[in-house]
Amino acid sequence: DLIAHGFGNLPDWAQDPQELWSAADKYERTNGAAYREFEVALPNQLTHTQQVSLVERLIQEEIGDKPYEYAIHEPIASLGGVPQPHVHLMYSDRVPDGIERKAELHFRRFNRQNPHLGGCRKDNCGKNPAVLREQLTETRALWAEITNAALAAHGHPERIDHRSNHDRGQDAVPGRHLGQAKVRAQLQAHFNIKLIKK
């Protein structure tokens, strides 16, 4: 179900994204994040080419010059049989600073006094949970903004909203994503009940 794959902004020592993520796993400190990931649903209304453009806009606005890799998938829903396009966007917190480093140095702790002796600075270090939550809300708002702009540009009336139903003044209880295993279990249980009733 892979539709598109891309990557960019790799450090000089990484020939491909696999080399970057493997080095992050190997050299990042034990309690440090090797990467961050967004998993985002894409509008069915857009073509695959338009979906790629939308993902690239998110990368431009949110990731900037940090190393990243993305994969767009389009599985068919077990319930309803409709396409469910979505993107997995991995990126490094390490901000490029123009200093050449080997992989093992790249992931070391940042050295403020002598940057060339430490690793690349992480842009989320030292932020308290409230600030990180606010940044996530801002990212969700950005996604809604650029998605709605893409839908409008291609003549689609549908829009998305990053706010909760409560914040939008709606009483509806949001649906829960079941995942493949739970869907299969529910279908199997339903099928078995039908068999027993016959």
Side-chain angles (χ1 to χ4, degrees), residues 41-118:
L42 298 169
N44 269 328
Q45 295 84 352
L46 300 180
T47 67
H48 293 158
T49 301
Q50 293 164 353
Q51 289 169 351
V52 169
S53 294
L54 179 57
V55 169
E56 289 175 347
R57 174 81 189 277
L58 176 64
I59 291 165
Q60 177 186 354
E61 297 282 342
E62 187 66 23
I63 309 301
D65 60 354
K66 292 182 283 191
Y68 70 87
E69 180 179 20
Y70 72 84
I72 298 176
H73 299 273
E74 191 177 61
I76 302 301
S78 298
L79 297 175
V82 296
Q84 292 185 315
H86 63 277
V87 62
H88 297 266
L89 172 57
M90 295 170 58
Y91 66 96
S92 172
D93 279 337
R94 303 279 178 175
V95 180
D97 56 10
I99 298 172
E100 273 197 47
R101 297 174 175 89
K102 293 185 178 179
E104 55 269 23
L105 182 59
H106 185 91
F107 294 101
R108 282 200 192 147
R109 197 177 291 271
F110 176 63
N111 185 327
R112 193 172 305 279
Q113 272 68 39
N114 297 293
H116 64 284
L117 298 178

Side-chain angles (χ1 to χ4, degrees), residues 120-190:
C120 286
R121 181 180 61 83
K122 283 187 155 187
D123 69 351
N124 72 338
C125 284
K127 295 179 181 175
N128 68 48
V131 171
L132 294 174
R133 273 195 303 275
E134 181 63 28
Q135 283 183 333
L136 180 59
T137 300
E138 290 170 3
T139 299
R140 291 168 59 99
L142 170 68
W143 178 247
E145 178 186 328
I146 63 176
T147 299
N148 291 337
L151 288 166
H154 297 291
H156 302 288
E158 296 85 355
R159 298 294 180 266
I160 66 170
D161 195 317
H162 71 286
R163 297 171 298 166
S164 68
N165 287 347
H166 178 267
D167 289 345
R168 290 163 43 201
Q170 297 183 0
D171 294 329
V173 177
R176 292 190 70 153
H177 179 71
L178 297 175
Q180 293 181 2
K182 287 185 180 177
V183 168
R184 279 195 299 271
Q186 283 190 359
L187 289 174
Q188 185 62 44
H190 181 69

